[in-house]
């Protein structure tokens, strides 16, 4: 590690870092060295040198879902070493239609294929996310001679540049989004096929009409006055909101479980907002200290935002340390006052396990007196006696933990 300034990576920047470390892009357009790149938990992931070179420091955290399968999420340099000359890359930024499957099958008859799945860490509402695209790609491979499927980390904002015009959501700056053709080349392919670009006018029109299909069906079944009331009722009938609030020591695994839970709920098409402790500190509570009053203010801010999400039928997943019972009780009250479900999940992993896992060296610094008011060392953690669910991640896998939380909500 160096003493260079730190830069906290956004989701798009994390995707670009993963591409760079895998040899798919030559440099990072958002980082001029020297700089240390960290995730939202302030874990150093890479160093950027004066010449723009990128060196890994610690592994990028993986999550759940088929898009994180290490057999599929393979660095470009490793894939390109195995790709046959003349291979065509198929860019699957959308779930393939029947026409797309036929186009890929025709391409498979003329040479080797490589199915590339651009997988973002963010899923735009109403779209098929990385997990769904990966499952669809595996099914497509099974229908077309089993070409290799590779998951490519790819900034969400750039998805519309090739076959993802319906992706919606925020847009990454153009110079941050590597062209799919360049990605295909980095992974060893000589040609690029974007099935969505080959669709017939009839297929494009049918896809464009899908969002209004329900309204058209209602209009055909009801007279105008009744149709308006049916549409009004459907618009108002959102599901009851939910706040899932994780609490536990630093290093207990609460953020890992929270991220995995949010990803699964997103994949199910549920409106989910993740309020992770370090990310909130960086944005919502920037400037607050770590004394008791500041900690309680931070937790109550998280609780307030979570209650707003739940009030409108969404799911808020929060994962601060939240060491004090009083502030946790206020968060519960805020959520329940909106009519939302509230689930307090205590990640009860023992202190010694948390210390052994510490990626950032915080416990060692706290024991050396370099970090005051550190929960579990120089500041108390009040163990919940009102937890709706208690999970020790030293005994329970992330997958099983997510299953337990989902069952509880």
């Amino acid at each position: 590690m160096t003493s260079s300034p730190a830069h906290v990576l956004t989701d798009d920047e994390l995707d670009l870092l993963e591409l760079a470390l895998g040899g798919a892009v030559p440099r990072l357009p958002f980082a001029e060295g020297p700089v240390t790149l960290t995730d939202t938990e302030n874990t150093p992931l890479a160093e950027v040198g004066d010449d723009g070179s990128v060196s890994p420091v610690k592994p990028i955290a993986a999550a759940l879902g088929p898009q994180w399968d290490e057999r599929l999420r393979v660095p470009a340099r490793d894939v390109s070493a195995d790709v046959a000359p003349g291979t065509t890359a198929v860019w699957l930024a959308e779930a393939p239609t029947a026409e797309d499957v036929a186009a890929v099958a025709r391409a498979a008859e003329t040479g080797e294929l490589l199915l590339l799945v651009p997988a973002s860490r963010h899923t735009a509402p109403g779209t098929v996310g990385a997990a769904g695209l990966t499952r669809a790609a595996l099914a497509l491979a099974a229908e077309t001679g089993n070409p290799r499927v590779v998951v490519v980390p790819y900034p969400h904002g750039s998805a519309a540049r090739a076959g993802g015009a319906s992706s919606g959501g925020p847009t990454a700056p153009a110079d941050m989004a590597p062209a799919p053709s360049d990605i295909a080349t980095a992974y060893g392919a000589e040609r690029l096929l974007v099935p969505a670009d080959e669709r017939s006018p009839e297929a494009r029109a049918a896809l464009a009409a899908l969002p209004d299909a329900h309204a058209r069906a209602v209009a055909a079944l009801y007279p105008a006055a009744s149709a308006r009331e049916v549409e009004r009722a459907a618009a108002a009938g959102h599901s009851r909101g939910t706040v899932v609030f994780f609490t536990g020591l630093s290093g207990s695994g609460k953020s890992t479980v929270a991220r995995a839970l949010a990803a699964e709920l997103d994949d199910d098409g549920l409106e989910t907002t993740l309020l992770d402790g370090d990310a909130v500190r960086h944005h919502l509570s920037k400037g607050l200290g770590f004394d008791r009053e500041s900690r309680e203010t931070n937790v109550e801010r998280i609780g307030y935002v979570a209650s707003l999400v739940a009030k409108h039928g969404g799911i808020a997943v929060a994962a601060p340390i939240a060491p004090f019972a009083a502030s946790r009780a206020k968060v519960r009250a805020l959520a329940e006052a909106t009519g939302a479900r509230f689930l307090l999940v205590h990640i009860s992993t023992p202190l010694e396990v948390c210390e052994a896992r510490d990626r950032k060296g915080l416990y060692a610094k706290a024991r050396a007196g370099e970090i005051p008011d550190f929960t579990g060392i120089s500041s108390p953690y009040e163990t919940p006696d009102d937890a709706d669910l208690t999970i020790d991640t030293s005994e329970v896998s992330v997958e099983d933990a997510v299953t337990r939380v989902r069952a509880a909500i």
Side-chain angles (χ1 to χ4, degrees):
M1 285 291 294
T2 71
S3 58
S4 55
H7 173 80
V8 180
L9 296 164
T10 65
D11 283 347
D12 277 355
E13 290 169 348
L14 266 172
D15 288 329
L16 286 164
L17 173 61
E18 192 174 346
L19 285 173
L21 292 175
V25 296
R27 60 187 298 116
L28 295 173
F30 59 85
E32 295 184 2
V35 64
T36 300
L37 305 178
T38 78
D39 60 18
T40 55
E41 295 183 0
N42 296 314
T43 301
L45 302 178
E47 295 281 355
V48 179
D50 290 313
D51 59 354
S53 61
V54 184
S55 304
V57 176
K58 292 187 177 179
I60 296 174
L64 295 183
Q67 73 274 30
W68 291 99
D69 188 330
E70 61 183 12
R71 295 168 296 181
L72 304 178
R73 202 175 183 109
V74 182
R77 65 171 60 90
D78 295 340
V79 175
S80 61
D82 296 331
V83 170
T87 293
T88 296
V90 180
W91 189 258
L92 294 172
E94 295 182 45
T97 65
E99 271 195 3
D100 298 343
V101 174
V104 174
R106 289 193 297 271
E109 294 173 356
T110 63
E112 295 291 328
L113 298 184
L114 178 67
L115 305 188
L116 299 180
V117 182
S120 168
R121 287 171 167 78
H122 173 80
T123 300
T127 64
V128 178
L133 287 175
T134 304
R135 289 190 291 266
L138 292 170
L140 175 60
E143 294 183 48
T144 54
N146 284 307
R148 184 173 184 178
V149 176
V150 175
V151 173
V152 179
Y154 203 68
H156 170 72
S158 58
R161 293 187 49 174
S166 64
S167 61
T171 301
D175 61 353
M176 283 181 60
S181 57
D182 292 339
I183 294 294
T185 299
Y187 278 80
E190 294 185 8
R191 290 179 294 276
L192 176 68
L193 169 65
V194 182
D197 289 350
E198 308 297 321
R199 289 171 183 164
S200 66
E202 293 78 14
R204 292 176 186 273
L207 287 169
L210 279 178
D212 297 323
H214 178 266
R216 292 195 305 274
V218 169
L221 285 169
Y222 294 97
S226 295
R228 284 194 296 270
E229 297 307 322
V230 170
E231 286 289 283
R232 191 196 310 275
H238 60 67
S239 61
R240 182 185 177 195
T242 301
V243 174
V244 183
F245 195 87
F246 290 87
T247 176
L249 296 172
S250 176
S252 62
K254 61 187 180 302
S255 293
T256 301
V257 177
R259 283 194 301 267
L261 172 67
E264 282 205 5
L265 294 173
D266 264 341
D267 188 40
D268 288 345
L270 300 172
E271 296 284 353
T272 307
T273 300
L274 177 63
L275 300 167
D276 192 20
D278 286 315
V280 169
R281 276 275 180 181
H282 182 70
H283 297 288
L284 186 63
S285 295
K286 193 171 186 177
L288 285 180
F290 289 89
D291 57 280
R292 179 166 187 139
E293 182 179 358
S294 294
R295 287 174 181 271
E296 291 187 327
T297 298
N298 178 56
V299 170
E300 288 171 31
R301 286 179 181 177
I302 293 172
Y304 175 68
V305 173
S307 70
L308 292 180
V309 170
K311 178 181 180 180
H312 297 286
I315 300 175
V317 179
I321 292 174
F324 303 119
S327 53
R328 294 193 299 258
K330 288 180 181 178
V331 171
R332 183 188 290 272
L334 282 169
E336 292 179 345
T338 69
R341 287 183 295 254
F342 182 86
L343 186 75
L344 180 64
V345 182
H346 176 210
I347 303 298
S348 62
T349 309
L351 175 62
E352 59 271 18
V353 176
C354 297
E355 286 199 65
R357 289 177 177 173
D358 186 15
R359 300 174 69 204
K360 294 175 279 189
L362 298 179
Y363 279 99
K365 291 180 179 179
R367 289 197 179 279
E370 297 176 24
I371 302 178
D373 298 315
F374 191 86
T375 302
I377 304 298
S378 52
S379 183
Y381 178 81
E382 298 175 358
T383 302
D385 57 11
D386 60 341
D388 302 290
L389 191 63
T390 300
I391 299 172
D392 180 349
T393 62
S394 68
E395 299 176 351
V396 178
S397 69
V398 174
E399 293 85 350
D400 287 344
V402 170
T403 298
R404 292 188 188 187
V405 176
R406 295 200 66 172
I409 61 176

